[in-house]
Amino acid sequence: MSAPISPVRQPLITGSKTYHQITEDLCSPTERAPNATWVIAFLISVSVLGFGLFCIAWTIWKGIGTWGSNRTIGWAWDITNFVWWIGIGHAGTLISAILLLFRQKWRTGVNRAAEAMTIFAVLCAALFPGIHVGRAWVVFYFFPYPNTRGPLWPNFNSPLLWDLFAISTYFTVSLLFWYTGLVPDFATVRDRAKGIRKKVYTFLAFGWTGAAKHWQRWESLSLVLAGIATPLVLSVHTIVSFDFATSVIPGWHTTIFPPYFVAGAIFSGFAMVQTLMLITRKVLNLQDYITVEHIESMNKVILATGSIVGVAYLTELFIAWYSGYIYEQFAFFNRAVGIYWWSYFGMMACNVISPQFFWNKKLRRSITFTFFMSIFINIGMWFERFVIIATTLARDYLPSSWSFYKPTWVEVGIYLGTMGLFFTLYLIFVRVAPVVAIAEVKSILKAGGDQYVEKHKAHHEKAELEAPAHH
Amino acid sequence: MGHHHTSNHIIYGLYTDETDLLKAVQKAKDDHLDIFNVYTPFPVHGLDPILGLAESRLHITGFVYGLLGTLTAFLGMSWIFTRDWPVIFGGKPYWPVPSFIPITFELTVLFAAIGMVVTFYTVSGMGPGITNPILDPRITDDKFCIAFNETTATDGDINKFKSFFQETGASEVNSKEIDA
């Protein structure tokens, strides 16, 4: 009987890198002048952001009447976009926190960019409730601070207030986690820089020296932050789902919502990570650090969470029928074949059917296919939120109030503006900070570098050949 | 370190691989050499026990900050809804404990995270705009460094340090004045 030998894993860093080459490869994008592609992308992003800001100003100046929302459909586009952006952010925390707890080494190639994505996505999301309140200039009334209006406190029973706390905490913790991870890498950039860049990175690096005790504390901090960020990220989308689930609207009032929303969030977040990383690795020449192995691992997560989402959709349908409750049955009938049938179809096609292609290893490892899939999933998950929100509200209890919602140019402009904001911030990030975590990649080099993996493999194969002789 | 010294004279050796560093640190411990500090470009696992570093207590502070957040949220909301301004919302009791769970959880996490991060930078002597002496710029690149303090060392000690670096395969040995 042969002893169980753990299969040798695929390399996570290719190109036989040395520690110094890792530093060179990962610092160089911050050290050279931006190329034409970057400049064009940046100008487009900033222009779109500018148009978005104009639309926000228009909303605040003219009022919420500039939107397509009406008496029946009190919120639609804004909350759809809010949930969509928040969901996208979840992949960053999953990669940086949950995969750290599970000791998944492949996270080191993508965690930095994914966390940055989380922070930018949460900013985009937070914008929507901020302007939807109407009087955006007194948005701080949300927070329970001692005031002269009574004091008048917010309603702590309200899931919308829970959401405020969840999003604020999520943003803060993600930012602290991300920045603490960046500090040693900023020190690496600092120690290579000259002149004004040296001054800037000296400030950003917080006085990091690489002392053994500091690394020990840094690891302890990272681990505990990962430990608390894990339930945090689950709580955030759970609470977002409470915005709907605690209401008494058929189609919303379901206990399945929290896990279903969390799975959907991770699903869409990973799709966005794929979109960004596939472009980033190509443009910044990081194919040795973000390998097909990383892409395949993420596609596996997409397949798993996509299947959970699919099961949730079918469970909803089944329970609506099985409950015998006609209002619930109508809500789902209306979603599938009502006025917004096309958005339901888009949701089902993009979220349930398309990820199933990832059972095929070849497709899972195809970069082109993955890129198109990531776009499909982003569209599908946007449709999911639109289906849940607009379709449900358009057909409420009173047929005389039935209505139709379509966005105005102002709402489309704000949504595009958040895209502009997201990509503007991401493009600045890739210029300022190392996109791949330098120190963390170095720490897995001996385990994940191709030259070491080859050596292990040769050793392993030799042991296998010699094994029969021992029996 | 007394009040007389405004700076430390440091002698340090650079190694090119973490396994060499670990062996060298072990030897320094065996030879009873007093290591000033060890610097690495990434966290080297297995270094702490050899170096004799006590486990970080940062996670304990995290628990305390978290507890503070739990109490702040729960007692704060309870005080507001039962003492300061009791209001009935949708027929719920004045003290709706289940409704307090999400915010209590969020503030627990928020306090723990902010508290730990601030503590980390404070005890490590780091923060925005703070600079600390750097022995060699390649420590954040690909060099693993062991440093000894020669400020108060005798000539015999200094010779011991030098022969230590030679025996353990340091690729370079340098010295530097740094602020104490």
Side-chain angles (χ1 to χ4, degrees):
Chain A
M1 227 174 76
S2 64
I5 300 167
S6 64
V8 177
R9 287 177 179 270
Q10 293 296 311
L12 292 169
I13 307 162
T14 56
S16 303
K17 301 292 180 191
T18 62
Y19 292 133
H20 181 65
Q21 271 172 298
I22 293 175
T23 311
E24 286 288 333
D25 292 349
L26 301 181
C27 288
S28 63
T30 68
E31 289 165 348
R32 54 177 184 239
N35 59 14
T37 321
W38 186 91
V39 174
I40 294 166
F42 188 74
L43 288 177
I44 295 172
S45 302
V46 171
S47 312
V48 175
L49 169 61
F51 180 61
L53 290 175
F54 169 75
C55 292
I56 290 171
W58 189 264
T59 301
I60 292 173
W61 185 255
K62 302 274 267 190
I64 292 294
T66 54
W67 292 4
S69 308
N70 52 47
R71 271 187 310 181
T72 308
I73 305 162
W75 58 355
W77 190 265
D78 52 337
I79 188 79
T80 300
N81 294 331
F82 165 77
V83 180
W84 187 74
W85 275 120
I86 280 289
I88 281 174
H90 279 45
T93 319
L94 188 106
I95 291 173
S96 61
I98 300 183
L99 296 184
L100 175 69
L101 298 184
F102 283 128
R103 305 277 183 214
Q104 289 294 307
K105 290 193 166 67
W106 62 270
R107 63 178 276 283
T108 56
V110 290
N111 65 341
R112 171 70 45 75
E115 284 172 52
M117 186 200 73
T118 295
I119 292 160
F120 306 150
V122 174
L123 277 176
C124 291
L127 192 93
F128 287 99
I131 52 176
H132 187 198
V133 293
R135 291 189 297 157
W137 51 93
V138 289
V139 79
F140 57 88
Y141 281 7
F142 274 140
F143 288 96
Y145 65 97
N147 56 71
T148 52
R149 306 187 299 275
L152 189 65
W153 300 102
N155 179 5
F156 296 110
N157 293 297
S158 166
L160 298 177
L161 188 72
W162 305 343
D163 216 352
L164 175 82
F165 276 87
I167 303 299
S168 318
T169 303
Y170 187 43
F171 179 76
T172 312
V173 174
S174 301
L175 190 67
L176 293 174
F177 197 9
W178 182 65
Y179 199 86
T180 300
L182 262 169
V183 161
D185 290 359
F186 276 146
T188 302
V189 181
R190 170 198 69 195
D191 293 344
R192 296 158 54 85
K194 287 185 177 62
I196 182 85
R197 288 186 75 246
K198 180 140 198 130
K199 286 211 171 85
V200 172
Y201 285 101
T202 298
F203 182 85
L204 292 174
F206 280 18
W208 179 265
T209 57
K213 187 71 193 175
H214 294 176
W215 276 122
Q216 187 205 36
R217 290 190 190 124
W218 183 88
E219 284 212 295
S220 168
L221 178 66
S222 302
L223 199 61
V224 180
L225 284 182
I228 59 177
T230 299
L232 174 66
V233 70
L234 301 181
S235 85
V236 171
H237 232 61
T238 297
I239 292 175
V240 169
S241 83
F242 284 168
D243 291 345
F244 305 99
T246 58
S247 73
V248 288
I249 309 287
W252 288 4
H253 188 69
T254 55
T255 48
I256 196 180
F257 260 30
Y260 156 30
F261 268 51
V262 170
I266 293 165
F267 179 58
S268 67
F270 267 86
M272 190 56 117
V273 173
Q274 293 280 35
T275 313
L276 285 178
M277 295 324 289
L278 291 176
I279 299 171
T280 307
R281 75 195 278 275
K282 179 101 179 146
V283 174
L284 299 182
N285 233 343
L286 296 172
Q287 285 95 333
D288 284 333
Y289 300 95
I290 303 162
T291 64
V292 174
E293 204 54 34
H294 292 86
I295 293 165
E296 191 190 359
S297 299
M298 290 195 276
N299 281 338
K300 285 177 182 167
V301 178
I302 288 178
L303 174 60
T305 50
S307 301
I308 295 172
V309 169
V311 169
Y313 290 167
L314 300 178
T315 308
E316 273 189 329
L317 282 178
F318 172 76
I319 293 297
W321 167 74
Y322 189 67
S323 68
Y325 179 56
I326 56 163
Y327 297 101
E328 193 77 14
Q329 288 170 346
F330 173 77
F332 284 90
F333 182 75
N334 177 49
R335 279 183 193 177
V337 296
I339 41 167
Y340 290 112
W341 66 270
W342 41 270
S343 60
Y344 192 80
F345 176 79
M347 169 185 103
M348 280 294 187
C350 294
N351 296 348
V352 182
I353 298 166
S354 72
Q356 300 307 319
F357 285 107
F358 280 145
W359 287 105
N360 183 313
K361 186 169 176 128
K362 237 195 195 124
L363 294 176
R364 221 159 51 214
R365 295 178 75 89
S366 157
I367 290 169
T368 323
F369 185 76
T370 302
F371 185 76
F372 283 108
M373 284 295 292
S374 72
I375 303 289
F376 276 143
I377 292 166
N378 279 315
I379 295 171
M381 285 307 291
W382 191 91
F383 272 132
E384 180 202 290
R385 280 64 181 253
F386 186 78
V387 165
I388 293 173
I389 293 157
T391 312
T392 309
L393 290 176
R395 293 286 177 268
D396 67 359
Y397 293 103
L398 207 60
S400 62
S401 302
W402 286 5
S403 179
F404 186 76
Y405 167 82
K406 66 172 195 292
T408 63
W409 64 271
V410 181
E411 289 176 285
V412 176
I414 295 171
Y415 178 52
L416 290 177
T418 54
M419 294 271 192
L421 175 64
F422 181 79
F423 285 103
T424 302
L425 292 171
Y426 189 77
L427 287 165
I428 293 173
F429 156 72
V430 300
R431 296 280 319 142
V432 172
V435 177
V436 175
I438 303 174
E440 290 185 66
V441 164
K442 283 176 188 164
S443 73
I444 67 153
L445 180 68
K446 293 281 171 77
D450 53 354
Q451 71 271 42
Y452 298 101
V453 173
E454 285 304 320
K455 212 159 48 181
H456 295 159
K457 202 177 261 168
H459 186 76
H460 179 77
E461 275 159 12
K462 193 165 158 255
E464 289 239 301
L465 279 175
E466 283 169 0
H470 296 299
H471 289 283
Chain B
M1 270 177 278
H3 292 289
H4 312 293
H5 304 292
T6 51
S7 66
N8 279 320
H9 198 72
I10 304 294
I11 180 169
Y12 64 92
L14 297 178
Y15 298 82
T16 54
D17 197 279
E18 69 269 32
T19 43
D20 297 341
L21 175 89
L22 289 174
K23 280 183 207 149
V25 173
Q26 184 64 59
K27 183 171 160 51
K29 286 286 161 185
D30 295 343
D31 294 354
H32 302 290
L33 295 178
D34 190 14
I35 294 176
F36 173 71
N37 215 335
V38 173
Y39 304 92
T40 60
F42 57 84
V44 174
H45 289 179
L47 177 62
D48 298 358
I50 305 178
L51 201 54
L53 288 183
E55 196 194 347
S56 167
R57 285 165 296 172
L58 202 57
H59 56 274
I60 300 170
T61 70
F63 178 78
V64 175
Y65 293 125
L67 193 64
L68 202 65
T70 313
L71 294 175
T72 306
F74 193 78
L75 298 179
M77 286 187 286
S78 299
W79 173 77
I80 287 168
F81 268 15
T82 58
R83 297 266 176 278
D84 192 52
W85 200 283
V87 181
I88 295 174
F89 290 101
K92 292 187 180 74
Y94 284 122
W95 195 49
V97 175
S99 287
F100 292 168
I101 292 171
I103 292 178
T104 304
F105 172 75
E106 299 300 332
L107 284 200
T108 304
V109 171
L110 184 69
F111 276 50
I114 294 178
M116 276 182 74
V117 168
V118 171
T119 307
F120 167 69
Y121 288 118
T122 310
V123 297
S124 303
M126 287 192 277
I130 292 178
T131 52
N132 287 313
I134 294 152
L135 289 178
D136 193 295
R138 288 165 301 167
I139 288 168
T140 54
D141 177 9
D142 62 345
K143 294 287 183 279
F144 303 81
C145 170
I146 297 177
F148 297 107
N149 193 344
E150 16 168 63
T151 319
T152 54
T154 61
D155 284 352
D157 289 335
I158 294 170
N159 285 335
K160 257 195 224 162
F161 296 149
K162 282 181 180 159
S163 58
F164 165 81
F165 285 131
Q166 203 165 19
E167 284 165 36
T168 52
S171 62
E172 279 175 49
V173 181
N174 295 312
S175 54
K176 194 167 181 174
E177 288 280 331
I178 60 168
D179 291 337

